[in-house]
Amino acid sequence: MSTSNDLKLVLGLEIHLHLRTNNKMFCRCPADIYDASPNTHTCPVCLGLPGALPVPNYDAIEKAQLLGLALHCELNKNSKFDRKHYFYPDLAKGYQISQYKEPFCIGGWIELDNGKKMEIERIHLEEDTAKSFHQGGKTLIDFNKSGMPLVEIVTKPVFNSVEDAAEFCKKVQTTVRFLGIGDVDMEKGQMRLEANISLRTPEMEKRGELPKYKVEIKNINSFRFMEKAVLAEIERQTEIINGGGIVKQENRGYNEATAKTVPQRDKEEAHDYRYFPEPDIPPMVFDDAHIEKLKSRMVELPEEVVARYTKLGIPMKTANAVVFAFGPETSKKLDSIINSGVTAEKAANTLVNKKEYQSLSVEEFISKLKSEDDKITDPEKIKEFAKSAILKNIKAVEDYKNGSTASVEFLVGMIMRESKGKAEAEVARKILTELLQS
Ligand SMILES: [Zn+2]
């Protein structure tokens, strides 16, 4: 992306997502918090009471590692949890259990449609914080979200367009859904984005030199919101740099009403968090057998499904729509329909383009498609039925000539009866009207 002064965008992503597990990350509280009343899914551990001991959720760890494998990461055989310290009302114990030096997954990449491989720095697992609300001058806190298993994917600062960043996020979301490890519904806060944004000159880009600052846009909860926020921030930084100023390293949020970014809590450097190993959870060691077992759980991934569909003759655009716009449920449905003998392209096109088919079960879909197939749409054949109906119903024709429009519908009914309901009614009505007027 070029800006007015030909400055180039440098963007890195931090993607947070909730895993679908029965329990929270370090306690046995149920994790079905999304429609629950405030503070009903809590215990001493996730309330951060002194002396409460965390026990890691093994299912969450395996799911984070599975995501790592799907995104071509290397799994760390030695891993551990660390404490990340900061003060905030939604973090009652004064630190968050996260991972610093030895995350579960390192490296990895996602390939975009344009063939670019966008590199991932790391994937780690942590606990989510509580949620605060500001109401009538008071701050209320709901601890249901506290301790929810939260995966964080950190990319390298490899994006130079917001479109690429949005596509990357969409691919992460779809991969998580195909793996069946999370619902990642952004409206429910199950997936949240942060974008680190800075600008550099074309010369810096050529030298591979990164800017000395970055501005972090926090709390992005939709892809559309991300595009707007990033574009607004590019504009702001361009103005500062072109005016001879220096962009301050800080956290900012996006205000939709003003279409501008605004400063938030100051960015803390990594050492400010005073990370140290979580003393209540021993370090973890994973052997080859564990990793092999995880690999055997791997499913067909979104790009693989698209490749299979295109081999079956489904156009790329339609295949992408099934996988990325509709998701795994629709993809499974399409597979069943194809397995029942419907040609792949026809099944996919109908599923993507015809709304009335989308909520049908596989059986209903096939039977509706079959009855559509039996429909007579050939105008010549319908004309034969129409001529016959006119000859047999002289009275209705006379009524029509005397101004009765209802007699057209009567004659269409006759055509439907003679064709045993197979004539396409719209075509029949059109041909009939033409014949009556000639
Ligand atoms: Zn709990």
Side-chain angles (χ1 to χ4, degrees):
M1 166 160 312
S2 63
T3 61
S4 60
N5 196 23
D6 221 19
L7 292 166
K8 307 286 183 182
L9 173 66
V10 178
L11 188 154
L13 288 168
E14 289 171 25
I15 303 174
H16 283 98
L17 49 97
H18 280 173
L19 292 173
R20 191 198 298 140
T21 52
N22 292 330
N23 306 99
K24 289 191 183 181
M25 189 59 226
F26 297 111
C27 60
R28 302 295 294 165
C29 285
D32 57 338
I33 59 164
Y34 301 104
D35 299 310
S37 307
N39 296 307
T40 52
H41 290 45
T42 60
C43 73
V45 173
C46 57
L47 286 171
L49 301 187
L53 288 175
V55 177
N57 181 336
Y58 189 61
D59 181 40
I61 293 173
E62 285 196 320
K63 283 174 174 162
Q65 290 177 318
L66 207 55
L67 179 61
L69 288 177
L71 301 184
H72 317 98
C73 302
E74 192 184 317
L75 300 194
N76 258 331
K77 287 189 173 169
N78 294 288
S79 189
K80 64 180 168 62
F81 286 104
D82 297 283
R83 288 187 181 180
K84 175 183 179 179
H85 298 82
Y86 64 91
F87 175 77
Y88 210 68
D90 63 16
L91 188 68
K93 61 186 186 297
Y95 61 86
Q96 177 188 28
I97 305 179
S98 180
Q99 295 193 286
Y100 185 47
K101 285 262 171 70
E102 293 173 301
F104 287 119
C105 319
I106 44 176
W109 45 266
I110 286 181
E111 186 172 338
L112 302 183
D113 290 345
N114 59 20
K116 278 194 254 176
K117 278 186 181 168
M118 308 321 275
E119 287 173 282
I120 295 165
E121 180 88 42
R122 55 187 276 144
I123 301 178
H124 66 254
L125 193 52
E126 59 192 22
E127 56 178 342
D128 205 350
T129 59
K131 186 173 183 174
S132 43
F133 302 85
H134 306 287
Q135 252 174 40
K138 286 182 183 161
T139 297
L140 306 173
I141 302 186
D142 175 9
F143 277 86
N144 285 352
K145 191 164 74 69
S146 172
M148 284 293 284
L150 192 65
V151 161
E152 180 171 350
I153 302 171
V154 182
T155 75
K156 294 188 174 170
V158 285
F159 297 93
N160 50 33
S161 86
V162 66
E163 292 81 9
D164 283 358
E167 186 187 333
F168 183 95
C169 294
K170 183 72 200 161
K171 292 206 154 153
V172 167
Q173 187 184 46
T174 308
T175 302
V176 170
R177 287 178 177 162
F178 271 77
L179 286 170
I181 59 172
D183 297 317
V184 278
D185 183 341
M186 295 189 79
E187 282 181 14
K188 289 184 179 167
Q190 294 167 344
M191 180 174 179
R192 310 190 292 265
L193 314 173
E194 291 169 18
N196 292 306
I197 300 165
S198 44
L199 301 178
R200 62 179 169 184
T201 61
E203 293 73 34
M204 286 170 76
E205 187 176 60
K206 256 178 228 144
R207 291 195 298 267
E209 186 184 331
L210 289 174
K212 293 192 172 51
Y213 73 96
K214 59 187 179 188
V215 172
E216 191 167 333
I217 308 286
K218 291 193 156 288
N219 302 321
I220 301 171
N221 53 16
S222 79
F223 298 134
R224 192 181 55 84
F225 192 89
M226 175 164 82
E227 298 214 28
K228 286 184 174 182
V230 171
L231 293 177
E233 182 57 19
I234 291 173
E235 201 179 308
R236 187 187 73 89
Q237 291 187 17
T238 303
E239 241 170 67
I240 294 174
I241 295 171
N242 286 349
I246 290 170
V247 181
K248 186 182 162 209
Q249 170 141 335
E250 62 183 344
N251 289 348
R252 297 178 75 87
Y254 178 66
N255 182 331
E256 261 202 304
T258 60
K260 286 190 183 341
T261 64
V262 288
Q264 286 190 335
R265 180 167 53 120
D266 259 2
K267 174 88 181 172
E268 289 157 283
E269 290 299 326
H271 63 259
D272 287 339
Y273 288 126
R274 294 179 296 119
Y275 279 102
F276 66 70
E278 166 59 59
D280 291 333
I281 304 173
M284 294 156 281
V285 180
F286 302 98
D287 59 12
D288 290 331
H290 170 80
I291 295 172
E292 286 311 311
K293 209 175 117 211
L294 278 177
K295 282 182 181 165
S296 73
R297 278 173 61 186
M298 190 51 66
V299 298
E300 191 183 25
L301 295 169
E303 303 77 48
E304 294 166 340
V305 179
V306 169
R308 176 164 61 81
Y309 284 164
T310 52
K311 266 189 204 150
L312 290 173
I314 299 174
M316 178 64 98
K317 196 172 163 232
T318 313
N320 268 325
V322 170
V323 171
F324 292 102
F326 289 88
E329 294 307 315
T330 300
S331 170
K332 276 189 200 112
K333 190 192 270 187
L334 176 60
D335 289 342
S336 303
I337 294 166
I338 294 171
N339 287 339
S340 308
V342 180
T343 58
E345 187 178 1
K346 179 165 193 176
N349 277 334
T350 309
L351 206 50
V352 169
N353 299 318
K354 294 197 176 171
K355 231 186 164 91
E356 67 271 25
Y357 277 84
Q358 286 162 5
S359 59
L360 300 180
S361 71
V362 173
E363 293 72 28
E364 289 166 339
F365 184 100
I366 292 167
S367 100
K368 185 171 168 68
L369 202 60
K370 196 169 176 316
S371 74
E372 292 285 321
D373 279 351
D374 288 345
K375 276 238 147 50
I376 300 170
T377 52
D378 179 358
E380 284 310 311
K381 279 188 189 148
I382 291 178
K383 204 170 190 173
E384 292 308 311
F385 285 116
K387 279 179 180 166
S388 156
I390 286 172
L391 284 176
K392 287 179 187 164
N393 298 281
I394 303 295
K395 171 91 171 58
V397 177
E398 272 170 18
D399 289 347
Y400 174 80
K401 297 217 160 122
N402 291 328
S404 160
T405 46
S407 52
V408 174
E409 289 314 309
F410 170 78
L411 289 168
V412 169
M414 290 299 112
I415 293 173
M416 297 311 284
R417 184 190 287 181
E418 293 219 2
S419 67
K420 299 192 171 66
K422 289 180 180 170
E424 181 70 67
E426 274 306 308
V427 183
R429 191 171 293 114
K430 186 165 165 280
I431 288 173
L432 192 63
T433 312
E434 281 167 12
L435 286 174
L436 289 170
Q437 285 170 354
S438 64

